[in-house]
């Protein structure tokens, strides 16, 4: 991605690169939103037992579940540490603090939200960092040519390794 973005300064195919990046970002954002929404609707991998039905019903009444997921997506777009983003991502953890019975017979639930980390690659953070890095490299002009060449050579090495494995 950094080489793709940094090649915008070369001129001739800059419009094609810009369209490709815009297309990629649009599809990535759309698929992330659709995936998060489908995950909250379907709950894949969750085993349904009679004990979990009661626990699920208390959390299903909470408003803002999808909003929390979308905010987590935006929160992860700007990682605090790029190395940490390759191993961990942040999410909103919701804990039930108190369930009280109100006067009219309904339950009032008090939730506590906190940002926690879990294992997994923060793809959104890596993508945003790569785009920003490529844009910064493109604005360096002549000063950035050496780093641009190193990244292109590193890309060739990685492609050669992939060629070995795919053979």
């Amino acid at each position: 991605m950094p080489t793709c973005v940094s090649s915008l300064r070369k001129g001739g195919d800059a419009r094609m690169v810009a369209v490709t990046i815009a297309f990629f970002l649009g599809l990535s954002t759309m698929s992330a939103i659709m995936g998060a929404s489908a995950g909250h609707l379907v709950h894949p991998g969750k085993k349904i037992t009679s004990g979990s039905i009661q626990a699920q019903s208390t959390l299903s009444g909470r408003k803002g579940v999808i909003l929390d997921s979308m905010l987590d997506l935006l929160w992860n777009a700007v990682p605090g540490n790029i190395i940490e983003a390759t191993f961990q991502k942040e999410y909103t953890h919701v804990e039930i603090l108190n369930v009280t019975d109100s006067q009219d017979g309904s339950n009032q639930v008090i939730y506590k939200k906190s940002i926690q980390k879990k294992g997994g690659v923060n793809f959104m953070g890596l993508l945003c960092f790569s785009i920003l890095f490529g844009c910064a490299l493109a604005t360096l002009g002549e000063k950035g040519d050496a780093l641009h060449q190193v990244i292109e050579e590193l890309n060739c090495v990685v492609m050669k390794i992939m060629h070995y494995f795919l053979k």
Side-chain angles (χ1 to χ4, degrees), residues 79-151:
N81 183 344
I82 192 63
I83 304 301
E84 184 181 349
T86 59
F87 302 110
Q88 289 183 337
K89 54 185 164 186
E90 296 176 340
Y91 71 102
T92 303
H93 176 72
V94 179
E95 183 180 344
I96 299 175
L97 286 182
N98 194 5
V99 178
T100 58
D101 292 327
S102 62
Q103 308 250 338
D104 60 356
S106 63
N107 289 338
Q108 184 178 13
V109 183
I110 300 172
Y111 299 100
K112 177 186 175 190
K113 292 183 184 181
S114 62
I115 303 292
Q116 295 187 358
K117 296 183 181 188
K118 66 180 175 180
V121 180
N122 180 0
F123 288 108
M124 188 61 78
L126 293 175
L127 179 69
C128 290
F129 174 78
S130 297
I131 290 170
L132 287 174
F133 186 83
C135 289
L137 186 60
T139 59
L140 286 177
E142 295 290 323
K143 292 179 185 177
D145 283 341
L147 183 57
H148 188 268
Q149 187 65 31
V150 167
I151 292 172

Side-chain angles (χ1 to χ4, degrees), residues 33-110:
I33 290 170
M34 288 174 60
S37 300
H40 282 292
L41 292 174
V42 177
H43 300 289
K46 187 170 186 174
K47 186 176 172 183
I48 297 176
T49 62
S50 61
S52 68
I53 293 173
Q54 178 64 27
Q56 182 180 359
S57 66
T58 58
L59 280 178
S60 65
R62 188 174 71 81
K63 298 192 187 309
V65 175
I66 294 179
L67 178 64
D68 286 340
S69 295
M70 295 303 122
L71 290 175
D72 287 344
L73 189 67
L74 292 174
W75 183 264
N76 282 318
V78 183
N81 183 344
I82 192 63
I83 304 301
E84 184 181 349
T86 59
F87 302 110
Q88 289 183 337
K89 54 185 164 186
E90 296 176 340
Y91 71 102
T92 303
H93 176 72
V94 179
E95 183 180 344
I96 299 175
L97 286 182
N98 194 5
V99 178
T100 58
D101 292 327
S102 62
Q103 308 250 338
D104 60 356
S106 63
N107 289 338
Q108 184 178 13
V109 183
I110 300 172

